[in-house]
Amino acid sequence: MKALRRLVKYGFLALLVVALIVTVWFNARAKAALPMLDGEVRHETLSGEVRVVRDDWGVPHILAADELDGYFALGYVMAQDRLFQMELMRRLAGGQLSELVGKPAVRVDRIVRGFRLRPKAADYLAMHQDSHPEIRAISERFCAGINHFMDTEELPLEFAVLGIQKRPFTPVDCLSIGAILPITFADGLREDALNTILKAIHPDLDTDELFPGYHKEVPVTVMETLEEAAQWAAEHPEHYQVAGNNDKALASVAAMRSLVADLHDIRTMITPALGSNSWVAGPSRTKSGRAMLANDPHIGFTNPSIWYEANIKAGDFEWYGWYLPLIPFSLIGHNRHHSWALTMLANDDVDLYREEFKPDDPTKVKYKGEWTDVLIEEEEVPVRFGATETAQIRVTKHGPVITDLLSALMEYNGPDVSMSWVWQHLEYTDMIAFHRMARAKSIEEFEAAVALITSPGLNVSYADAEDNIAWWAAGRIPIRPPHVNNKALLDGASGKDEILGYVDFADNPKLINPEWGYIATANNKSTFKSVGDVPDMQGYWQPGDRAARIEEVLDTRDDWDIEGFQALQFDDKAWAADFILPRILNSLRIVDLTRDEKEAVAILEHWDHLHGKDSVGAMLYQMINDRIMYHLLADELGEGLLGPYHSLADSWNFYKFAMKTPSSAYWNKIDTPDIETQGAIIVQGFRAAIAFLREELGDDIHAWEWGKLHTMTFKHPFGYIPGLGGIFNVGPFPASGGDRIVNNMLYLGNGNFEVVAGPSTRRVIDFADPETAYAILPTGNSGHIKSPHYGDQAPLFMDGKYRVVNFTRDQIEAHKKHELIFAPPN
């Protein structure tokens, strides 16, 4: 027994020693990886001196005489702060994650390689290396800066932990990151597949009802007022008809389920949900009498944040920008002359086609009634701790055959399905567009640059120092045959379902200085009017709730100021509660309730529809809706498809329609012999919600505060590993706001209210004083765990507060904390 006690004692001491050694190594390595913020960097490509001044928020201000020298410095400082994030994004876009983390990432790598993002980027650069020399020069200098950092400074802690070997970054890497955006923001890729599955499972149900778009309510559009939309809908009853089914049942539903789940997982890794807000106000609507702009693009929360802030002043070019790591052109930003905002247009630029391969020759596929050649590629997929695998990719006239992935990953005996999206078939000129947008000297030059955006479609909102406000639906809008249901599987063999062409940009929806004085976008439909040769613009519009609420509030004032715009970005009123909550309460008032249930009803009856983190009403409302949705659709979708469906915009569009339509067939459960009613399902969902909250939060109903379950933790990739979350993550914080609310703090649902996506930054600028703009990041500008700027903005972000953007040279010098000098060799 003494020997055993001695063994336990010394074993415990040994573990303590090992833990101490690991802790000491970890801290020493993390501190050693902090970048050099003061000093001198020399490189042969530099033509002159560049000063990089970092301010008290860790934002680099790049002061250069030569623009290309400035982009070298941008690559260097971005790598200093975000190299691990850049490495992960490069591997994700190239299908190379399994080389780093092993077998669990093989499925993701196979699917991403099937999209052919990196080969497409390489082909594009090879074909256009001389046609846009300024873009190539900037990309090469930017990558030279990244690579020089890797050659001269300590690599991040994560590189040491994972054993990542440094390898040069190239312009192909940069463009591949840009190329993955069309896929991650393409709801059609998942919705078309999910719609097809449900048609096969439930041939007797009207599954199109689950994907209504705006066809079951008055459309909230960018170009028309709510009153105009209501009048138009009343005059066009055909608007309320959902497109018919042009699809046949699909075999091997189980495999298609797998595809939907994998696509959902990939999107979750990059951008688990989307939905953004922007609005601009002209002089007639602002206190200053000048143009104003607000923007909060909604992307999946990451740690570090998805945006990297940097300010460049080089020659006569100056631009304060928000950059996606590894892309040298800012996607949003401002200078003294103009600013722009982005939200997703949500137009449908992705289609799925059923392919017919020649039975005796798999290298041929039928296209427009003729047998045509198939491109067949094979790629090796290195797997850490495992054998290298091979991915075969077939490419038809439409695009990659995505079901090939299923044949390698699981048994699949269904038809071959290819994926076609706009980015794949047109010249990708988006990076040229953003380069020119930042350099525009007039609204006309800016519009000409916006015309170069191809895919994904974007809402580009604009304000300038000449007090113009404008908005463009940017991107190439497909023209499809009239009979095509864009949300179902299309016929790839006959040619009858092929895209006929694209709308000319001149015919794309736009507004310039509208008479009512403001323009708001929230991923809602652009217009109910025809667009070029498209009678009804097709898309996967986000529910109109946020757009309606923004317009409702904007219309109440003609004296908007910075504080008012900031308050509107943090607005947390549930717009749809005005008609959903009375329907819930009416169903509850006619049944016998327990004391706790009566108390819950009383709280909801007096609730103000706001979603502050201490609101009990918000907790009850969201949980009840969540449980009603579950009991409404679990029998038709099953557990495996509820998550992917809930992430689609149409899930809420359907729910609102179902709440207004007691006769909907979906209220009746198909897995019971009884005939259920809307009222019965509402009561069932209500009681399930009360039981869930009691188990999670205790018996005191007045302690069921929204922020106790609606929480925000900014997770580092290492933070998902048990035991490391407390070291690498920032949070948790109780969160206000919620799904389909202006302060759009989104969650997965189905009982899980942990925030996964939301405002990736909040920005406000008044051109009465464009040198004093306001912004905030969710965490901080640095990705180094030991940096003071790793999570320094998170408390401000969660409280709806902002910091002043240092833009002018005087502001930069006044807030200088570090200075790094770049220069040619001695």
Side-chain angles (χ1 to χ4, degrees):
M1 184 62 70
K2 288 183 178 180
L4 179 60
R5 285 199 296 266
R6 190 180 302 114
L7 181 63
V8 171
K9 175 183 176 181
Y10 288 117
F12 179 71
L13 290 174
L15 288 175
L16 285 179
V17 170
V18 170
L20 179 61
I21 292 172
V22 170
T23 302
V24 170
W25 175 89
F26 176 89
N27 281 286
R29 185 64 182 77
K31 290 178 180 178
L34 287 171
M36 177 180 68
L37 304 182
D38 298 279
E40 188 174 82
V41 175
R42 294 189 177 272
H43 195 266
E44 61 272 11
T45 62
L46 295 169
S47 63
E49 183 177 282
V50 181
R51 294 178 63 219
V52 175
V53 176
R54 275 186 164 87
D55 66 17
D56 35 18
W57 293 103
V59 175
H61 302 267
I62 300 166
L63 312 175
D66 179 78
E67 191 173 328
L68 291 179
D69 288 348
Y71 279 99
F72 177 94
L74 176 63
Y76 192 98
V77 298
M78 190 183 290
Q80 283 187 311
D81 290 323
R82 301 290 189 90
L83 186 64
F84 179 59
Q85 184 183 35
M86 294 157 72
E87 177 68 20
L88 285 185
M89 293 184 75
R90 168 168 67 170
R91 288 180 176 274
L92 177 60
Q96 300 165 344
L97 284 175
S98 53
E99 187 177 8
L100 186 64
V101 300
K103 193 74 173 179
V106 168
R107 295 177 73 94
V108 171
D109 281 352
R110 283 185 175 275
I111 291 176
V112 171
R113 284 172 185 259
F115 296 156
R116 301 188 71 249
L117 304 178
R118 188 173 179 84
K120 173 77 173 179
D123 290 346
Y124 174 81
L125 288 173
M127 292 172 56
H128 300 282
Q129 59 180 337
D130 298 322
S131 57
H132 302 293
E134 73 282 8
I135 303 299
R136 187 174 187 88
I138 287 172
S139 300
E140 289 176 347
R141 286 293 190 92
F142 175 76
C143 289
I146 299 172
N147 296 331
H148 189 54
F149 164 76
M150 291 196 297
D151 289 339
T152 57
E153 291 201 42
E154 194 80 24
L155 297 180
L157 167 69
E158 295 92 338
F159 275 64
V161 173
L162 294 175
I164 301 174
Q165 300 299 311
K166 68 179 181 181
R167 56 190 174 113
F169 283 82
T170 69
V172 173
D173 296 321
C174 301
L175 190 57
S176 296
I177 297 300
I180 203 170
L181 294 179
I183 293 299
T184 58
F185 286 113
D187 263 9
L189 181 59
R190 296 171 301 120
E191 183 158 326
D192 293 1
L194 186 55
N195 193 0
T196 299
I197 292 171
L198 293 175
K199 289 179 189 302
I201 298 174
H202 302 296
D204 297 329
L205 277 176
D206 181 10
T207 56
D208 287 322
E209 189 175 302
L210 293 170
F211 307 95
Y214 281 14
H215 289 283
K216 296 297 185 181
E217 62 182 348
V218 174
V220 182
T221 68
V222 178
M223 294 187 68
E224 293 85 25
T225 66
L226 295 175
E227 292 76 16
E228 290 172 331
Q231 180 178 348
W232 177 86
E235 295 171 353
H236 295 79
E238 71 277 6
H239 160 75
Y240 293 99
Q241 300 300 315
V242 179
N245 174 24
N246 67 335
D247 183 45
K248 299 176 182 178
L250 177 69
S252 194
V253 168
M256 286 300 287
R257 283 178 181 269
S258 175
L259 177 62
V260 169
D262 286 338
L263 292 173
H264 178 64
D265 290 344
I266 290 172
R267 186 168 176 267
T268 300
M269 292 176 64
I270 313 163
T271 53
L274 60 109
S276 307
N277 304 321
S278 74
W279 55 89
V280 288
S284 65
R285 286 284 184 171
T286 64
K287 184 176 182 180
S288 68
R290 305 298 302 275
M292 292 182 64
L293 176 146
N295 187 205
D296 53 298
H298 305 160
I299 304 177
F301 284 123
T302 59
N303 184 19
S305 305
I306 194 64
W307 296 112
Y308 182 73
E309 283 188 46
N311 183 13
I312 297 181
K313 298 181 186 297
D316 61 354
F317 173 68
E318 64 174 3
W319 190 254
Y320 195 104
W322 281 256
Y323 297 80
L324 285 182
L326 207 52
I327 296 180
F329 309 103
S330 83
L331 302 192
I332 50 178
H334 69 270
N335 60 17
R336 290 179 175 86
H337 175 263
H338 67 282
S339 178
W340 80 75
L342 295 183
T343 67
M344 301 309 300
L345 180 60
N347 61 308
D348 183 12
D349 57 6
V350 174
D351 290 304
L352 297 181
Y353 284 89
R354 181 199 306 271
E355 300 287 10
E356 182 182 339
F357 284 85
K358 195 171 185 178
D360 58 350
D361 186 357
T363 67
K364 302 290 184 182
V365 67
K366 187 170 286 188
Y367 176 70
K368 295 185 177 180
E370 301 289 338
W371 295 113
T372 60
D373 292 334
V374 178
L375 173 65
I376 301 177
E377 297 179 338
E378 284 194 358
E379 294 185 3
E380 289 188 345
V381 183
V383 181
R384 192 172 193 177
F385 312 120
T388 297
E389 300 195 11
T390 301
Q392 185 183 84
I393 302 159
R394 291 183 294 173
V395 184
T396 72
K397 296 290 186 181
H398 299 115
V401 180
I402 57 175
T403 44
D404 281 352
L405 307 168
L406 300 178
S407 64
L409 298 173
M410 62 182 296
E411 292 184 6
Y412 178 73
N413 57 5
D416 295 295
V417 177
S418 66
M419 177 182 61
S420 172
W421 76 99
V422 168
W423 176 86
Q424 185 183 42
H425 296 285
L426 298 176
E427 182 179 358
Y428 184 68
T429 52
D430 293 45
M431 295 303 107
I432 303 168
F434 289 116
H435 175 261
R436 295 181 182 177
M437 287 159 65
R439 289 157 178 78
K441 302 299 184 184
S442 66
I443 189 172
E444 292 80 14
E445 287 186 11
F446 188 84
E447 182 175 34
V450 171
L452 295 173
I453 293 173
T454 56
S455 174
L458 298 171
N459 291 302
V460 180
S461 300
Y462 170 91
D464 67 24
E466 298 169 2
D467 296 322
N468 294 302
I469 62 171
W471 158 81
W472 295 269
R476 302 306 305 274
I477 299 172
I479 303 170
R480 296 180 173 89
H483 71 275
V484 164
N485 175 3
N486 63 301
K487 295 186 178 182
L489 197 62
L490 306 182
D491 177 9
S494 69
K496 295 179 180 179
D497 293 349
E498 300 301 319
I499 288 175
L500 304 176
Y502 299 90
V503 174
D504 290 337
F505 177 76
D507 294 328
N508 277 22
K510 70 176 181 179
L511 289 170
I512 298 178
N513 297 320
E515 61 181 16
W516 55 90
Y518 66 81
I519 307 168
T521 77
N523 318 108
N524 51 319
K525 190 171 185 175
S526 298
T527 179
F528 51 65
K529 299 174 183 176
S530 61
V531 176
D533 292 329
V534 177
D536 182 22
M537 190 171 168
Q538 298 158 334
Y540 297 87
W541 324 115
Q542 289 290 308
D545 303 39
R546 287 182 289 111
R549 174 61 180 166
I550 292 168
E551 290 189 21
E552 178 181 74
V553 176
L554 284 176
D555 210 35
T556 63
R557 293 177 58 176
D558 57 10
D559 62 345
W560 284 100
D561 54 15
I562 290 289
E563 291 76 15
F565 269 27
Q566 291 175 345
L568 182 52
Q569 285 186 326
F570 211 61
D571 183 273
D572 59 12
K573 184 174 183 179
W575 182 79
D578 286 349
F579 67 85
I580 289 178
L581 188 57
R583 286 167 169 79
I584 293 173
L585 293 175
N586 288 340
S587 295
L588 297 176
R589 291 187 180 114
I590 60 176
V591 297
D592 292 331
L593 301 175
T594 67
R595 184 178 64 180
D596 282 349
E597 291 171 345
K598 290 178 181 177
E599 183 65 24
V601 169
I603 290 171
L604 288 170
E605 287 175 332
H606 295 91
W607 177 49
D608 55 11
H609 301 182
L610 300 181
H611 282 67
K613 55 192 175 186
D614 58 350
S615 172
V616 176
M619 182 73 264
L620 287 167
Y621 174 76
Q622 293 292 345
M623 190 69 239
I624 291 167
N625 281 321
D626 182 86
R627 293 296 83 194
I628 293 173
M629 176 72 95
Y630 177 84
H631 288 285
L632 176 60
L633 291 179
D635 51 325
E636 289 89 1
L637 271 66
E639 297 286 348
L641 295 180
L642 267 177
Y645 180 72
H646 186 272
S647 73
L648 298 175
D650 262 342
S651 66
W652 186 248
N653 291 331
F654 162 75
Y655 183 73
K656 290 188 293 182
F657 166 73
M659 292 299 288
K660 294 178 181 178
T661 313
S663 60
S664 171
Y666 285 92
W667 289 112
N668 180 42
K669 289 180 174 290
I670 62 175
D671 55 358
T672 70
D674 301 325
I675 303 297
E676 287 85 6
T677 64
Q678 181 191 68
I681 298 299
I682 287 176
V683 172
Q684 189 176 8
F686 170 76
R687 286 180 166 150
I690 298 300
F692 181 94
L693 291 173
R694 183 182 292 112
E695 182 176 348
E696 291 290 321
L697 300 176
D699 292 330
D700 183 3
I701 193 171
H702 295 282
W704 294 355
E705 296 176 350
W706 178 226
K708 290 184 177 178
L709 292 186
H710 189 242
T711 61
M712 177 71 252
T713 300
F714 300 100
K715 294 182 178 180
H716 183 280
F718 284 8
Y720 291 91
I721 301 173
L724 296 183
I727 300 172
F728 285 93
N729 295 340
V730 177
F733 301 92
S736 60
D739 204 353
R740 302 166 296 274
I741 289 170
V742 178
N743 183 22
N744 200 25
M745 301 289 278
L746 298 111
Y747 41 83
L748 297 177
N750 199 19
N752 181 2
F753 294 101
E754 184 177 349
V755 179
V756 296
S760 53
T761 180
R762 298 188 183 104
R763 309 163 48 222
V764 177
I765 184 170
D766 185 340
F767 275 94
D769 184 12
E771 297 176 352
T772 309
Y774 295 81
I776 196 71
L777 289 176
T779 53
N781 216 36
S782 174
H784 288 276
I785 188 173
K786 292 296 183 180
S787 168
H789 305 300
Y790 182 69
D792 55 339
Q793 298 181 50
L796 297 176
F797 175 85
M798 295 304 299
D799 286 339
K801 297 178 180 178
Y802 298 73
R803 56 180 178 77
V804 173
V805 171
N806 296 315
F807 179 74
T808 68
R809 290 182 182 268
D810 287 344
Q811 290 170 323
I812 294 167
E813 297 300 336
H815 292 270
K816 181 174 74 172
K817 295 298 180 183
H818 301 279
E819 182 173 345
L820 191 61
I821 301 297
F822 291 76
N826 289 323

